Structure formats: structure tokens, C-alpha cells
Amino acid sequence: MDLALLRTFITVHRAGSFTRAAALLGLSQPAVTSQIRTLERQLGRPLFLRQARGVTPTTIGDELAHKAAPHLDALVEITEAGLDDESSLRTLHLAGPPEFTAERALPALTELTGEDGQGFALRASFGNAEETLEGLAAGHHDLAICTARPRGALLTATPLCDEEHVLLAAPRWAEKIGPGSPRHKGAPALDEVPVIEVHESLPFVSRYWASVFDSRPAVPGTVIVPDLRAALACAIAGAGLAVLPRYLCAPALDRGEVVSLHEPAVPPLRTYFLVVRTGTLAMPHVARAHEWLLHSASEWC
């Protein structure tokens, strides 16, 4: 079987579209279509069902992808690394949200880097859930961390850990609201406090308000910064309230730089998933990183 045809097939399977696969491979769409038809003729079976939007693999297509993809990925990695490379280290490509990846995943995985015969080189990239899963499906990453569970059989997700969200602000805002205010009963007094968020849609604050107060925030964001660490810095500086993961703000809470404005009986949680392309856990460096992160996460919660 021609490896070029197989590579095109795996790319289409992951992309779910001839058009997207062509862009990833640097080929024209007719060339991709022709290669898939050639492979289907060789196998004597259809590999994809053409639909209005993209393609869906047949049962034979799924079976071929799950059997061939790990081996093809290994061959591509060998080719990209170079046979004459003096280093024996494999390279793990990790992707995930910037804050969690930087604060949790990378410190854990750096323990596995090095030349101990089982270590690997590490490359990391940051992105939102959609970008991360698309990159993983396209073969740009080996391992992804995200807060969305992927659909379909192409990607396999394992729950990694839950993060607790905390509603907080600098102490002067808590003093202004006052110990006897409605902040202990619900959201009204909080609506007078400026909001710090990572996006105009207020994803963290809106989720907290819906879960805890069964309502929506009454004010728009005052400070919008696309990084949770920057949002924490703004909260410490007194810019307003923010909803942040406890792992990120715990040191600031302990130092009294910020205080919790509300303590719900059941705090809102968000689940992180560890995601791989189905079958790639057969690759030793991916499997080791996957297992190590799951082990490390048991100490994070």
C-alpha cells in the first residue's frame, strides 16, 4: 500500500473534509479526492460517505484509520526527527489552555524530560478547546488538555481533574460590600462591583452566576484580559471582581491579596480532559506522558 495514499487517507479521516485535508497537506482538493478514490479501488471498499458538509468514514474506513494511524504517526515522527539525529529523545507535542498548561501540566511533564533512556523532548503550544482539538485531530499535537470532551471515535478523552471556581476581589471591595450585605445571600450587591474577565461574553462570571445564583450578571465586563493570570493581577490591584480557578488564586488568597466574596455550598466545577488520537497510546512517549499526568492530577485536586 502506498504510504502517500495512506497519509492522505488519515488526514481526511482526522479532518472530516477533503477541503480541510487538502489545506493541511498542501494539495489541491481534486488531488486529495483522486488519492482517496485510488485507495478505495485498491481495497475494493468505500472508505468515506460523502455528505453535504464533509465526509463520514465507513466502518472499514474507521477500522483502517485506527489500525494505521499510530504507525503512520511514528513513521512521520522518525522522518521529521531525522535518522542521523544524535539525540535519542522522542518529542512530545502538548497543547492546552495557557494557564493550566503552564501552572500544572508543564511542571509535571518536565520531570520526564532528559536523557535517561525513557525521557522525551517537550514542545508546548497554547490555544482554546476548539483550536487544540483541531490541531490534535490534524496530527499537530500528540496530547491535548481541554475542557471540552470531543465527539466521535477519532479522539479519546480521559477525565484529568476538576477545577473549583472562586468568586473573589481585593479586600477593599469586600469591605465596601460589608459583612451584613446581601453578598452572603445572593448576587444583588455584587452587581455593583466592576467585573474582570477573559472575554466580552463573560464566560467564567456567567457560568458562576448561573450555577450559584440562577441568574445572569447585571453588568458588562470592565476589564477584559485574555489570560487568567492577568485577570488575577487586575483583581489584586483592585480593578473589581473575578471568577478564577482555585489552583491559580490559592496563593493570593492565602496572602490576603484577594478574598472570597461568596462561599456556595457546592462550588462550580469545570472538568479538564486529557485527549489523544485513538490508538496513539501505543506510542511509548505518549503513553508515559498520559500516565504521568493522570498520576500527577491526583495530587492537584
Side-chain angles (χ1 to χ4, degrees):
M1 184 179 296
D2 189 333
L3 288 179
L5 298 181
L6 193 57
R7 183 188 181 200
T8 298
F9 161 71
I10 294 298
T11 304
V12 173
H13 188 275
R14 289 172 172 168
S17 161
F18 284 0
T19 302
R20 291 174 62 190
L24 291 169
L25 292 167
L27 300 173
S28 66
Q29 182 175 339
V32 170
T33 302
S34 176
Q35 289 188 24
I36 295 300
R37 286 176 177 171
T38 299
L39 186 58
E40 289 178 327
R41 284 197 301 269
Q42 290 180 0
L43 296 173
R45 305 287 290 274
L47 297 173
F48 295 103
L49 300 175
R50 280 67 169 176
Q51 297 182 336
R53 293 185 178 181
V55 294
T56 300
T58 63
T59 302
I60 296 299
D62 266 336
E63 184 178 348
L64 177 60
H66 295 158
K67 287 182 178 179
H71 304 290
L72 186 65
D73 287 340
L75 288 172
V76 170
E77 185 174 348
I78 291 172
T79 302
E80 291 178 349
L83 295 176
D84 295 329
D85 191 348
E86 295 180 357
S87 173
S88 62
L89 295 179
R90 305 287 295 272
T91 300
L92 179 81
H93 295 270
L94 173 73
E99 305 88 355
F100 186 88
T101 304
E103 298 289 331
R104 292 299 202 194
L106 287 176
L109 287 177
T110 51
E111 297 185 38
L112 301 184
T113 60
E115 300 182 7
D116 62 355
Q118 294 183 322
F120 48 75
L122 182 60
R123 302 290 184 270
S125 59
F126 300 143
N128 59 37
E130 182 179 359
E131 295 167 341
T132 297
L133 292 178
E134 285 185 356
L136 179 65
H140 301 315
H141 317 307
D142 301 312
L143 195 60
I145 299 170
C146 68
T147 55
R149 183 190 287 273
R151 297 179 180 179
L154 175 59
L155 302 177
T156 300
T158 304
L160 180 62
C161 67
D162 292 328
E163 68 174 16
E164 177 188 344
H165 287 178
V166 182
L167 174 62
L168 54 78
R172 71 180 184 88
W173 284 110
E175 294 171 1
K176 185 174 182 179
I177 293 173
S181 76
R183 76 184 178 94
H184 296 292
K185 304 174 184 178
L190 297 174
D191 290 337
E192 302 172 6
V193 184
V195 173
I196 306 166
E197 257 288 6
V198 297
H199 191 271
E200 297 287 355
S201 63
L202 309 184
F204 283 83
V205 172
S206 294
R207 189 182 303 115
Y208 191 99
W209 254 241
S211 174
V212 176
F213 303 127
D214 194 25
S215 65
R216 296 180 179 181
V219 296
T222 300
V223 178
I224 304 296
V225 287
D227 188 289
L228 293 174
R229 292 162 295 192
L232 175 60
C234 291
I236 292 173
L241 65 81
V243 174
L244 298 173
R246 184 172 291 278
Y247 79 84
L248 191 65
C249 63
L253 287 167
D254 292 341
R255 293 190 296 265
E257 296 171 331
V258 290
V259 296
S260 173
L261 297 179
H262 190 70
E263 296 293 339
V266 181
L269 300 176
R270 183 169 69 163
T271 301
Y272 282 97
F273 297 94
L274 198 54
V275 190
V276 297
R277 292 187 301 279
T278 300
T280 56
L281 287 179
M283 303 171 71
H285 69 304
V286 177
R288 190 176 185 212
H290 189 273
E291 180 182 0
W292 189 261
L293 284 175
L294 290 175
H295 170 74
S296 301
S298 65
E299 302 177 357
W300 298 341
C301 303

